[in-house]
Amino acid sequence: MSKSKIISIDNLSLQEMDTEAELIPLLTPEDEEEMNKETLPEDLPILPLRNMVLFPGVVIPITAGRDKSIKLLNDANAAGKVIGVVAQKDEAVEEPSTNDLYHVGTVARIIKVLKMPDGNTTVILQGKKRFEIDKFTQEEPYLKATIKEVPEVRPENDDKEFLTIIDSIKESAIEIIKESPNIPTEATFAVKNIESNPFLVNFVSSNMNLLVKEKQGLLSTHNLKERALETLRYMNLELQKLELKNDIQSKVRLDLDQQQREYFLQQQMKTIQEELGGVSHEAEIEEMRAKAKTKKWDEKVAQHFDKEVSRLQRTNPNSPEFGIQRNYLELFLELPWNEFTKDNFDLKRAQKILDREHYGLDDVKQRIIEHLAVLKLRNDMKSPIICLYGPPGVGKTSIGKSIAEALGREYVRMSLGGLRDEAEIRGHRKTYIGAMPGRIIQALKKAKTSNPVFVLDEIDKLSSSHNGDPSSALLEVLDPEQNSEFHDNFLEIGYDLSKVMFIATSNSLATIQPALRDRMEIINMSGYTIEEKVEIAKRHLLPKQLKEHGLGTKDLTIGKRQLEKIVTGYTRESGVRGLEKKIAKMVRHAAKSIAMEESYNVKVTDEDIIEVLKAPKLERDKYENNESAGVVTGLAWTRVGGDILFIESTISKGKGNMTMTGSLGNVMKESVKIALEYIKSNTEELGVKPEVLENYNIHIHVPEGATPKDGPSAGIAMLTSMISSFTQKRVKKSLAMTGEITLRGKVLPVGGIKEKILAAKRANIKEIILCNENKRDIDEIKPEYLKGLKFHYVDSMKEVIDIAITNQKVKNAKKL
């Protein structure tokens, strides 16, 4: 037979077939004659087939998974490529014995062996001649048997009955192919092109949807004419089944057509009902079109809206897509496209509102007034994107409302704390069930204007997750160059946010993404002084609490001195939230006394404060005396404002070792090491005896050991403390300091100066040592905050020591 490309014909033609399969070159009469002349070997390896029967001339692929079968195929492929193929009686038997096999089979030639990735072997076999097993000669490693050829009784070439049966088989095969939806029409060509009558019978028998037992019966039939007649009988049965199946499907289709008819009738009934009373979907769509004419959107948005309305019109009202599309178009109509509130350009009124609502915060107020002034001169200016940065409770969030009132704009607030899904900013695609626009678009829909004051609260507390990074999504929102075309996934078209005044609030800049921080104008809102807190309490907090508790000014008054006592003795914060709680407690006490008709002091005294709030709890950050060696007052910045920090050091006899305690961070520990190395290299200049360094251990401690501390700003305080211990000299009284040091003894600038200055003032510090470069920070602070303070600006550690260390020995000084 020709060695043309041969592929699988298993399940081809009359059974379900892979549509991607190619047709094989079919067996010609010449090929068949050549195959019949071949002599069979006496002894053959026997390959059991589990669920198929191989007929002469037919090509089939089989997959061998049994070890015996794989061994047999490999050996046969390496040798003569001829094997005997027989079918199993029971396909469930895993290891068939000689009694589990039919005795009539087909001699097969191995055309190709393929190794599969799963370890199985796929082999393509072509049937040659039928044989009968005479005797099994071997069972291991696989079955072998002596065989004898089974002669085939063929009719005469001019036998009309046989030729009629063959024609019927061809016609039936073509009819089956036509009726079956699972067999490709190309199989018709294969049947028509078969020239050999015995091969046609074998080909059709092999591919019919029959049981193995039935196929084996056909293979075992010696008379070709009888086999052809039996095959035709099976084909007629299969054709009848197919026609019956198609008839049933046709009836079902008619039932579906009936349902469609009923659906249209129901739709007509619905229309009649809507005519009698109600709104039809068409009327709803027309109402949308009418609303669209009143919108101030541009041509691009109008075209997109018309396209989406047309899509809604084509959608079946009973489908889920109709509801989604309607919600989408309703959002389109509710958004304030190019609708803006008119800004109030009365700058004096704006200043008055800001001063009325908030005490202090001059930088923020000045920036808002500047923006109003520029907007008055040039009306199309893009809004600024401001980030108010400072400790909790200083009025960052509440000032947004005041700015909105001062500008005459709508106020919108969006809390970003704990937000970790990008879709909260950009929305979901409208194809998802339950999809919604992002919170920015939703907020603008509620505001009904495209230029509100939009407060993004707690922007530093955004987090990311597997749902995306919201802070990255905000990059587009907060970029003046991009936000004129903000893309919301639900909206699917750009929306102009350039006129929105975004005001972000943050407690810390460290956790804000650098690219996001770069897009915002940072305004630092530092803590309030004691005087400012007293004024805020008097003007805002006390009246607010009296109103909330149903009291008037005649029912309770708290003087400035008493308010200062509450501020200094009961609160330790940069803002005023804790102060408000204490004032609320005082007001509640008065309310209880009025309700129970008890006597109380309308004007609050110091004794009343102690009675209600108990003894003062926060008197720690006060300056301590300078009687001990090695005790220096440093200045620190915390998230709740500034604080004073005591640096303690002491020396003991030893070998010059150094110990550090007090939960110090790596940077702070490095500052201690730099200070010690600087002292060692400059002992003569600093007045320290070298033998003291060699014979004494030094211990550095920063009190409140449970509180972690870090940063370079305590560097000069560490060095001053060590010099004081090594020389046993006093540190100057009422003195505090802050600054970073280098190995060369240079003093470097540090941050948080305003907060540190306020902390120093609270602690009754009189003099402060700062780096010369920090003078610019002092110049920005109001003069009233600096009243009573003296500043020493230095560039080197030598200057610090000259100012800080006195010539007086400490009390009970050690003899070194």
Side-chain angles (χ1 to χ4, degrees):
M1 184 178 173
S2 167
K3 291 186 180 180
S4 303
K5 182 181 177 187
I6 297 175
I7 59 99
S8 166
I9 62 163
D10 183 39
N11 296 337
L12 182 69
S13 182
L14 305 182
Q15 296 188 46
E16 293 181 15
M17 165 188 162
D18 183 0
T19 56
E20 293 181 4
E22 299 173 342
L23 293 176
I24 64 158
L26 299 170
L27 196 72
T28 63
E30 292 78 16
D31 293 329
E32 187 182 10
E33 189 180 339
E34 188 181 331
M35 193 169 69
N36 288 334
K37 288 177 182 177
E38 290 177 10
T39 55
L40 296 183
E42 292 180 2
D43 190 43
L44 272 181
I46 302 299
L47 178 68
L49 292 188
R50 198 190 288 269
N51 54 6
M52 64 176 72
V53 176
L54 178 62
F55 285 80
V58 177
V59 176
I60 62 168
I62 64 161
T63 300
R66 302 165 179 159
D67 293 337
K68 283 185 176 182
S69 300
I70 293 169
K71 170 78 173 157
L72 182 152
L73 291 168
N74 288 337
D75 289 355
N77 191 44
K81 296 186 181 287
V82 179
I83 60 171
V85 176
V86 291
Q88 282 182 209
K89 293 175 182 175
D90 183 3
E91 66 179 56
V93 177
E94 267 307 312
E95 295 291 338
S97 65
T98 54
N99 297 324
D100 297 318
L101 304 176
Y102 290 107
H103 278 239
V104 176
T106 307
V107 175
R109 185 169 72 87
I110 297 171
I111 293 173
K112 197 166 187 181
V113 177
L114 304 167
K115 299 285 183 184
M116 295 292 112
D118 59 359
N120 290 337
T121 299
T122 295
V123 62
I124 298 172
L125 301 174
Q126 183 188 22
K128 292 284 187 180
K129 286 185 177 182
R130 296 185 305 146
F131 73 89
E132 187 175 355
I133 295 171
D134 187 27
K135 184 183 177 184
F136 284 98
T137 58
Q138 176 184 307
E139 289 191 11
E140 292 296 333
Y142 45 76
L143 296 171
K144 263 191 174 184
T146 54
I147 63 166
K148 58 185 179 182
E149 188 173 340
V150 177
E152 190 174 67
V153 180
R154 295 193 177 189
E156 295 296 326
N157 291 339
D158 57 352
D159 189 329
K160 290 182 180 178
E161 186 183 356
F162 176 69
L163 292 174
T164 305
I165 293 169
I166 292 298
D167 289 340
S168 298
I169 287 173
K170 276 192 178 181
E171 286 170 9
S172 296
I174 291 165
E175 197 66 26
I176 287 169
I177 292 165
K178 199 184 292 179
E179 289 286 331
S180 176
N182 300 318
I183 304 173
T185 53
E186 289 85 0
T188 309
F189 299 111
V191 174
K192 284 180 178 178
N193 290 326
I194 295 174
E195 296 173 5
S196 167
N197 293 338
F199 177 63
L200 176 67
V201 176
N202 290 337
F203 179 82
V204 171
S205 301
S206 175
N207 288 288
M208 272 198 301
N209 196 10
L210 300 176
L211 299 172
V212 171
K213 187 178 179 182
E214 292 168 339
K215 284 188 179 182
Q216 184 65 36
L218 289 172
L219 183 69
S220 302
T221 305
H222 300 327
N223 191 303
L224 181 60
K225 189 174 178 180
E226 288 177 13
R227 195 191 315 153
L229 199 60
E230 191 68 9
T231 302
L232 183 59
R233 189 176 68 81
Y234 282 127
M235 289 177 78
N236 287 333
L237 281 171
E238 188 168 348
L239 187 57
Q240 286 171 24
K241 285 179 188 175
L242 275 170
E243 286 172 347
L244 186 62
K245 184 180 175 184
N246 290 341
D247 188 43
I248 292 166
Q249 284 181 339
S250 177
K251 285 178 181 175
V252 171
R253 196 177 295 115
L254 284 170
D255 289 342
L256 285 172
D257 291 344
Q258 179 67 20
Q259 287 175 12
Q260 285 288 104
R261 184 169 169 275
E262 286 170 5
Y263 169 76
F264 287 124
L265 288 170
Q266 284 170 356
Q267 289 297 109
Q268 287 175 347
M269 284 174 65
K270 195 175 179 182
T271 307
I272 293 164
Q273 287 168 353
E274 285 170 351
E275 285 293 322
L276 293 170
V279 182
S280 70
H281 296 303
E282 285 299 320
E284 200 174 10
I285 290 167
E286 287 308 313
E287 190 182 331
M288 284 182 178
R289 290 189 193 277
K291 270 188 186 177
K293 289 176 183 174
T294 65
K295 303 302 286 184
K296 297 177 184 175
W297 50 38
D298 56 31
E299 188 63 28
K300 184 181 173 184
V301 179
Q303 285 176 1
H304 183 81
F305 179 80
D306 290 341
K307 181 183 169 188
E308 294 297 328
V309 168
S310 300
R311 183 182 291 176
L312 180 71
Q313 217 162 3
R314 295 193 302 270
T315 307
N316 185 339
N318 291 331
S319 71
E321 286 80 11
F322 187 86
I324 293 167
Q325 190 72 359
R326 184 170 58 188
N327 291 342
Y328 175 66
L329 291 170
E330 282 174 356
L331 172 73
F332 241 79
L333 292 168
E334 287 173 9
L335 280 173
W337 300 90
N338 296 323
E339 291 178 19
F340 308 106
T341 51
K342 192 175 179 182
D343 287 332
N344 190 324
F345 295 119
D346 188 343
L347 301 187
K348 289 181 179 177
R349 173 185 167 275
Q351 184 75 56
K352 191 175 178 183
I353 289 169
L354 292 171
D355 288 339
R356 182 193 73 204
E357 297 295 330
H358 290 82
Y359 185 82
L361 307 179
D362 293 332
D363 288 347
V364 186
K365 292 175 185 176
Q366 185 183 344
R367 181 67 185 87
I368 300 306
I369 297 300
E370 284 172 359
H371 173 67
L372 258 182
V374 175
L375 210 57
K376 187 175 182 179
L377 300 174
R378 187 187 171 194
N379 199 31
D380 62 342
M381 182 192 172
K382 290 179 179 177
S383 290
I385 294 163
I386 295 168
C387 178
L388 305 178
Y389 151 65
V394 294
K396 298 185 297 297
T397 305
S398 59
I399 201 170
K401 265 188 182 174
S402 303
I403 292 169
E405 188 185 345
L407 293 171
R409 293 189 181 189
E410 292 295 321
Y411 170 75
V412 178
R413 178 181 164 274
M414 175 178 165
S415 179
L416 299 175
L419 200 72
R420 55 182 183 181
D421 188 353
E422 181 199 349
E424 293 280 347
I425 307 294
R426 281 212 183 104
H428 305 82
R429 297 192 184 281
K430 72 175 194 284
T431 49
Y432 297 128
I433 293 170
M436 292 190 302
R439 285 170 65 179
I440 288 173
I441 294 294
Q442 287 182 46
L444 291 176
K445 186 181 89 171
K446 287 178 187 172
K448 294 183 171 60
T449 172
S450 289
N451 66 337
V453 173
F454 203 125
V455 174
L456 298 167
D457 214 6
E458 311 289 2
I459 199 168
D460 57 322
K461 293 172 182 65
L462 281 169
S463 57
S464 59
S465 71
H466 64 281
N467 293 321
D469 183 4
S471 62
S472 297
L474 277 175
L475 293 175
E476 184 186 2
V477 177
L478 299 182
D479 190 339
E481 300 302 319
Q482 295 181 42
N483 66 5
S484 59
E485 282 289 319
F486 170 65
H487 181 84
D488 186 278
N489 290 330
F490 186 85
L491 201 59
E492 292 182 342
I493 195 165
Y495 193 91
D496 186 5
L497 300 179
S498 62
K499 300 292 190 293
V500 178
M501 179 183 273
F502 286 104
I503 299 174
T505 70
S506 168
N507 297 134
S508 169
L509 296 177
T511 52
I512 301 176
Q513 194 184 113
L516 190 59
R517 190 165 66 233
D518 185 55
R519 281 162 167 75
M520 299 186 289
E521 186 179 335
I522 309 291
I523 297 179
N524 188 6
M525 291 177 65
S526 52
Y528 296 115
T529 61
I530 293 169
E531 293 79 11
E532 284 177 328
K533 287 182 181 179
V534 170
E535 282 299 324
I536 290 166
K538 191 169 180 60
R539 294 186 191 186
H540 301 286
L541 303 183
L542 182 57
K544 179 187 170 187
Q545 289 302 323
L546 287 171
K547 186 180 177 183
E548 284 183 2
H549 290 83
L551 303 181
T553 50
K554 65 180 189 306
D555 297 313
L556 187 73
T557 58
I558 305 176
K560 280 191 175 183
R561 199 166 64 83
Q562 281 70 37
L563 285 171
E564 187 175 338
K565 184 175 178 65
I566 294 171
V567 170
T568 55
Y570 298 91
T571 65
R572 182 170 169 261
E573 57 181 347
S574 292
V576 290
R577 282 205 185 106
L579 175 60
E580 187 174 13
K581 289 171 189 171
K582 298 300 176 188
I583 290 171
K585 197 168 184 180
M586 296 299 300
V587 174
R588 283 198 301 273
H589 177 75
K592 185 202 79 168
S593 300
I594 293 168
M596 296 180 73
E597 298 180 355
E598 296 173 351
S599 61
Y600 73 101
N601 292 327
V602 173
K603 188 172 183 181
V604 173
T605 63
D606 293 351
E607 290 74 24
D608 293 332
I609 293 170
I610 292 169
E611 182 190 344
V612 177
L613 303 179
K614 310 306 176 191
K617 299 175 179 67
L618 299 167
E619 300 287 351
R620 187 193 64 76
D621 56 350
K622 295 290 183 188
Y623 171 75
E624 295 182 6
N625 59 58
N626 63 342
E627 292 178 359
S628 302
V631 178
V632 177
T633 306
L635 298 173
W637 179 92
T638 68
R639 287 200 174 190
V640 294
D643 200 357
I644 64 169
L645 192 73
F646 295 107
I647 312 293
E648 299 176 355
S649 67
T650 185
I651 56 172
S652 58
K653 285 196 173 181
K655 296 180 179 179
N657 297 328
M658 179 175 64
T659 309
M660 292 174 278
T661 54
S663 295
L664 308 187
N666 290 334
V667 178
M668 214 166 185
K669 286 178 181 176
E670 286 170 4
S671 294
V672 177
K673 291 173 185 174
I674 290 168
L676 186 60
E677 290 303 319
Y678 177 74
I679 293 169
K680 286 180 180 178
S681 59
N682 296 277
T683 51
E684 190 176 334
E685 190 181 346
L686 298 171
V688 177
K689 297 175 184 176
E691 55 270 21
V692 173
L693 294 172
E694 292 173 10
N695 299 324
Y696 284 85
N697 295 336
I698 186 159
H699 187 142
I700 306 282
H701 177 68
V702 183
E704 292 194 22
T707 307
K709 308 162 195 78
D710 206 358
S713 64
I716 63 172
M718 296 281 192
L719 197 146
T720 306
S721 173
M722 288 187 193
I723 295 288
S724 174
S725 289
F726 286 136
T727 59
Q728 294 293 296
K729 289 181 179 178
R730 288 178 187 263
V731 176
K732 194 171 186 180
K733 192 178 180 184
S734 301
L735 175 76
M737 58 188 76
T738 183
E740 184 180 349
I741 58 166
T742 70
L743 275 174
R744 294 178 296 154
K746 292 279 184 186
V747 178
L748 302 181
V750 290
I753 294 299
K754 185 183 176 185
E755 287 84 354
K756 291 175 180 180
I757 298 303
L758 297 181
K761 202 167 183 190
R762 281 199 303 267
N764 292 330
I765 298 292
K766 304 298 180 193
E767 297 180 50
I768 298 174
I769 299 176
L770 295 170
C771 173
N772 208 22
E773 290 181 39
N774 281 125
K775 190 175 188 301
R776 60 174 181 263
D777 298 304
I778 300 298
D779 293 339
E780 292 175 5
I781 300 172
K782 286 184 178 179
E784 54 263 34
Y785 296 169
L786 309 176
K787 195 175 178 183
L789 291 172
K790 182 181 179 183
F791 293 95
H792 301 280
Y793 301 107
V794 298
D795 287 314
S796 67
M797 205 54 231
K798 184 72 175 68
E799 295 174 67
V800 176
I801 299 304
D802 289 344
I803 296 165
I805 303 294
T806 66
N807 288 322
Q808 292 178 295
K809 289 283 184 182
V810 296
K811 194 176 179 182
N812 303 320
K814 294 180 182 178
K815 292 182 180 179
L816 304 174

